[in-house]
Amino acid sequence: MIMIEVKNLVKVFGAKKGLLGHDAITAVAGVSFSVPEGGSLSLIGESGSGKTTIGRILAGLESPTSGEIIIQGTHVTKLLPAERHKFLRRVQLIQQDPYQALNPARTIEQALEDPLKVMAREQGKDERWILSRMHDVLLRTGIEPGVVLNKYPHMLSGGQRQRIVIARALTVDPKVLIADEAVSMIDVSLRLGVLKLLKELREQFGIALIFITHDVASARYVGQEGKLFVIYKGTIIESGPTDDVITQPYHPYTQALLSAVPVLKGLEDPGPDRFIPLRGDDREIIADTSCLYQPRCPFAQAQCSETRPVSQGLEHTYACHFPVIRRVVATARGERI
Ligand SMILES: Nc1ncnc2c1ncn2[C@@H]1O[C@H](COP(=O)(O)OP(=O)(O)O)[C@@H](O)[C@H]1O
Ligand SMILES: [Mg+2]
């Protein structure tokens, strides 16, 4: 079953302000994907590529300029606001900073109680239900309820705090979790535990995971069997089964991102010639006719500034006029190009 589907999602910020459109920023330029029950989709790309905007739109914190969002078969973009709001609760967003997500003046019990009280009211449940569900979500996130319920956020480690944020998200029985750089502010020693938890929630409870990161290794850890989407300037420039994209990347941007990654577990290092540089930055203005990546691409040819490449390929897609697999990370067999 498809838990969430996005069709041609577009977000333009400041479209109304600039009379001539000067101030408009296209943060998301037509993104489509779907994630099945228990599946995962990792979204990787540099800072500013539009990842957070996609996550915020799916969680209902930002409205799309255009495009469709379908949650468990329902077109939420076509619903009236109240009804849409209810549907979007099935999508929960875990953000980067768990400390900011929790009110410092409230105990963990109070933090978890809020959404549970709303649900209890809606479903006619009593206090006992609230308590048992509270314990349940904490245990699911690997936390002993007795140890944390009376504590304040500052008394916990970053890893524990993020687990509490995840537990709070689980109170509403979400079908989709979006983790946006969810471990980047957590101590390195505690990161793996939180990543493992996200993976387990997907595998054990069928939650669809949208994992936003700039770290390919963690994307592979939580969703090796899932899909990897590479985003550049709000556009998916390569996508496919995670290990296909990692071991056989076609797009020079993907290759550059990957070549900055240390050798991944289980894969052999192809040696020093694996490095493809990531040159310059993404601020250059790009003509509509040019490939988005052309000014930075070490392999660009004349055609790259004359026509924008469209996505090709079926399961593994790439938007490049001259797709050449460069095995920058290595293959299982240790082959190189
Ligand atoms: N509220 C906003 N108003 C105007 N521009 C925004 C807003 N939020 C994000 N942007 C712009 O949209 C682009 C994508 O940002 P973001 O989605 O945060 O990227 P990422 O998460 O990949 O770093 C950036 O150019 C950013 O400056
Ligand atoms: Mg971001």
Side-chain angles (χ1 to χ4, degrees), residues 13-14 17 25-28 45-54 62 180-181 212 231:
F13 284 110
K17 273 182 257 156
I25 295 172
T26 303
V28 183
E46 288 172 294
S47 167
S49 54
K51 305 182 298 297
T52 293
T53 303
I54 293 174
E62 202 83 68
D180 185 0
E181 308 279 6
I212 297 175
I231 185 167

Side-chain angles (χ1 to χ4, degrees), residues 163-203:
R163 284 171 194 270
I164 300 293
V165 172
I166 295 170
R168 188 179 56 183
L170 294 179
T171 56
V172 298
D173 196 19
K175 303 301 172 201
V176 181
L177 268 189
I178 304 171
D180 185 0
E181 308 279 6
V183 298
S184 61
M185 289 184 72
I186 295 174
D187 268 8
V188 174
S189 60
L190 302 172
R191 276 183 199 171
L192 190 62
V194 177
L195 292 176
K196 190 158 175 272
L197 169 63
L198 291 171
K199 189 174 164 167
E200 282 167 4
L201 291 172
R202 187 166 75 62
E203 290 168 349

Side-chain angles (χ1 to χ4, degrees), residues 90-123:
R90 296 184 191 180
V91 181
Q92 290 287 313
L93 176 65
I94 311 296
Q95 288 172 286
Q96 195 171 16
D97 185 356
Y99 199 65
Q100 212 172 48
L102 297 166
N103 184 336
R106 311 196 73 215
T107 63
I108 303 310
E109 181 167 13
Q110 290 167 331
L112 292 174
E113 226 170 38
D114 293 341
L116 284 170
K117 276 183 173 162
V118 175
M119 275 184 88
R121 230 183 359 256
E122 281 174 4
Q123 300 180 14

Side-chain angles (χ1 to χ4, degrees), residues 23 29 40 51 57 66 79 94-95 105 138 158 188 222 238 249-250 255 268 289-290 307 311 314:
D23 296 331
S40 80
K51 305 182 298 297
I57 291 172
S66 62
L79 296 175
I94 311 296
Q95 288 172 286
L138 284 171
V188 174
V222 297
E238 182 153 12
Y250 283 98
Q255 291 160 2
E268 198 178 311
T289 51
S290 164
T307 43
S311 211
L314 290 169

